[in-house]
Every structure is written in structure tokens, then in C-alpha cells.
Amino acid sequence: MLTGRFAPSPSGHMHLGNAFSALLCWLSVRSRGGRLLLRMEDLDPARCRPEYARALLDDLAWLGLDWDEYVPPARDTEAQGATEGGILYQSRRSAFYAAQLTRLKAQGLLYPCFCTRAQLHAASAPQAGAAPGVYNGRCRRLAARQVAAMLAQRPAAVRAAVPDEVISFCDGVQGPVRQHLATECGDFLLCRSDGVHAYQLAATADDGAAGITEVVRGRDLLDSTPRQIWLLRTLGYAVPQYYHVPLLLAADGRRLSKREGDLSLCALRGRGVQPQAIVGLLAHLAGLCPTPAPVAARQLLPSFDWSRVHKENRVFTEGLL
Ligand code: GLU
């Protein structure tokens, strides 16, 4: 069954850029009669807050976007206690992520990393054949004896040892994508040294376990997708169809962020802006409507078609609202 998910991080109030992805995600799934699950990506205790999660639910409902109850598959026993009100909360699921790490470890695909921030900075300097920011594998080469000695001193982060493999897929918006994991992605983090599981591991394992068949999200995550496809395959899960939608940029070219409080949905709502005005504007920016005239989300369902959605980032100017 067609199953999509919307996976916001409750690290701030939802802004127009988040609403843009949420609307396209909802239209894609609902226009084809699929199920839409909601997952709170609240893994980072320093950044995520329950009040932001509550506000997110209010904002989605206000926009006219609904979701289905997350009913964990019987084989995913760890998820039983991680849902509330039909929503999956990643912060309650660390035993499940730890179990995925154990499965990867059994395949010899993990290693501990002791690099400090400064070492990481130096370690990701451009090297022969590798893209900037790619980890140079310093800790992959440590001998077992060195690892044991260092583990006795401080906790380690955990990295995936990626294979020398090219991952290709066809994105529903961006078209064909290819990435050589070793040189363009490198050995990536699965768990921080403070025990917080990384987004890459959690999102991938959750997509796999929930049987997600399509993922709609911002274009900023396109680069993460090859490593997620590799993880899904390695963990024995099916790979969904991906749709990476454009980002909304401010007039000066910056990405809208959760720090732009004035463009948060609750601030706009406080200014008396109607949800149909926001949906109409977002649909226009996406390429779905010729003008930014107000429209209810459900009115867009009959004509929704991915082929009309723009591929390039879109500039939002205040005057549009
Ligand atoms: N939590 C991520 C965000 O809010 C989205 C992750 C995903 O859809 O895979 O940007």
C-alpha cells in the first residue's frame, strides 16, 4: 500500500518552508489514496521541545493537512511504546535504533570514532579524490588494541564503514542521482559519543520498519539519500520512491529557517493570515497554481501532478502574502 510520511523535527516553530514540504507530501499521498504517517524527529534533546511538537500538530491541522494513525507493524515490537496519539516519537525508540546498530555491527560495518571536533575539521580537509567535508577514515584504521585503550578513557561515536560502491536512483522531482559512497559521502555517523542516535540511522530504520513507499522532503536532504538507500538495503528493507522538493529562499537567497520567527505559521496566523492564503501561495510557488489566490489544500487534490512541481529552489517575498 502507498505509504508516505512527514517527519518534522520539533526544534522550532514550523515555517513556510516546512509547510511547503508538508503540503507536497500530503498532496502526493492523498491524491493517490495512500496512508500518511507522522513521525516526530525529536532525537536531539538539546534542540527539540514538546511544545514545538504540539505546535506542529496544530499548524498542520490548521493548514488542512491530516494524517493517519501510526499502527506499528507486529514485527516492530519496539515501536509499540513509542507512539502517542497515533504519532511515532523517535526519542522513545532508542532500543530499536540500538538493535539496528547491532545488526550492522554483526556485518562488520561499524567502527568507533574518537575524533574531536577539531580533528574532524582537519580530517575533512579536501583529500585526493574526496569531496570537502568527507571524513578521512582516521579511526577506521585504528588497531583493536588502540580502540580498547581509547574506549577505556572516553565514549566513542559510531560510524558506518561505507563500501566502495556507487548508489544510483531516480528522484521523482530532481531526476537521476548517482553518488560514490566512499569519496562523496564517506564514513558517516550513526551514533554520537553522547549516545544520541544520528538522523541518518533513525530516519532510515524508521522508514524501513514502517514500510514507507514514498518519501517527500526538502532538496537539502538529496545528498543524504544514497547513504540511506545503502542502509536500507543493508538492513534488509525496501527502498521507497524519493521526491526532493525545492527549498524556499528569502529574497536575499538565504534558506528560510526556524530562526526566522516572523515567517513561522503561528506568527502568520497571529497576524490574521488565513490558512487558504498560505496554501494558495505555497501551491503557486510549487508550480501547481498560476496565481497565489487562496485555496484549500483538498481543492488541489484532483489536479495534483508531480510533473508540474518545480525542481529549482523558490524565492519567497513578503509581498506575496
Ligand atoms: N526531520 C527532517 C526535517 O525536519 C526531515 C527528515 C526526512 O524527511 O527524512 O528537515
Side-chain angles (χ1 to χ4, degrees):
M1 167 163 204
L2 170 65
T3 307
R5 64 17 166 223
F6 182 55
S9 304
S11 57
H13 285 292
M14 189 164 167
H15 59 73
L16 283 177
N18 307 127
F20 185 75
S21 303
L23 175 65
L24 290 170
C25 177
W26 183 86
L27 286 171
S28 179
V29 172
R30 293 300 196 215
S31 64
R32 286 174 291 147
R35 265 192 322 153
L36 182 60
L37 307 181
L38 192 56
R39 176 170 86 219
M40 284 294 168
E41 299 210 325
D42 57 350
L43 276 177
D44 189 345
R47 292 175 57 234
C48 298
R49 294 208 216 133
E51 57 269 33
Y52 288 140
R54 282 192 293 274
L56 257 156
L57 303 182
D58 287 347
D59 287 342
L60 288 172
W62 180 71
L63 283 175
L65 310 183
D66 64 343
W67 58 89
D68 296 301
E69 187 186 350
Y70 189 105
V71 181
R75 61 176 187 281
D76 186 2
T77 46
E78 308 282 359
Q80 317 293 336
T83 59
E84 187 180 316
I87 298 160
L88 186 74
Y89 288 81
Q90 287 191 328
S91 57
R92 305 179 194 179
R93 210 157 145 64
S94 57
F96 171 71
Y97 306 131
Q100 307 308 308
L101 285 180
T102 306
R103 293 174 62 197
L104 294 168
K105 189 173 180 185
Q107 297 184 53
L109 294 170
L110 302 188
Y111 64 89
C113 177
F114 301 92
C115 289
T116 60
R117 216 176 265 269
Q119 282 168 325
L120 284 178
H121 194 70
S124 60
Q127 35 180 317
V134 171
Y135 180 61
N136 69 359
R138 182 176 173 269
C139 290
R140 188 168 174 171
R141 293 185 293 271
L142 293 176
R145 183 177 38 82
Q146 290 170 295
V147 168
M150 289 171 91
L151 273 178
Q153 288 167 24
R154 59 191 159 106
V158 178
R159 279 187 193 273
V162 300
D164 188 13
E165 205 177 291
V166 172
I167 302 285
S168 7
F169 67 101
C170 191
D171 187 79
V173 182
Q174 306 297 330
V177 178
R178 279 169 65 83
Q179 191 183 77
H180 182 236
L181 284 182
T183 55
E184 294 176 87
C185 166
D187 292 348
F188 58 99
L189 273 189
L190 295 175
C191 189
R192 297 193 327 209
S193 61
D194 62 2
V196 174
H197 295 106
Y199 156 72
Q200 304 291 355
L201 172 73
T204 308
D206 281 338
D207 285 344
I212 297 299
T213 63
E214 73 167 49
V215 168
V216 178
R217 60 188 178 192
R219 213 173 101 161
D220 51 327
L221 288 165
L222 188 61
D223 199 46
S224 290
T225 305
R227 77 192 83 168
Q228 296 187 0
I229 291 176
W230 172 70
L231 269 181
L232 283 165
R233 289 184 187 148
T234 306
L235 291 168
Y237 292 123
V239 175
Q241 170 65 48
Y242 292 93
Y243 298 86
H244 287 87
V245 305
L247 304 178
L248 290 196
L249 306 179
D252 61 4
R254 275 177 313 124
R255 241 186 97 180
L256 297 188
S257 83
K258 292 204 170 110
R259 283 179 296 273
E260 317 269 340
D262 48 347
L263 288 177
S264 72
L265 293 194
C266 52
L268 293 170
R269 188 172 358 170
R271 265 164 50 185
V273 178
Q274 294 300 305
Q276 290 87 343
I278 292 182
V279 170
L281 168 65
L282 297 176
H284 172 62
L285 287 169
L288 297 172
C289 293
T291 68
V295 64
R298 70 189 138 68
Q299 290 176 278
L300 297 167
L301 287 171
S303 61
F304 178 76
D305 184 347
W306 274 115
S307 68
R308 290 165 54 209
V309 174
H310 291 299
K311 186 172 163 172
E312 302 304 330
N313 291 344
R314 316 296 298 157
V315 174
F316 165 81
T317 46
E318 276 279 341
L320 284 169
L321 259 180

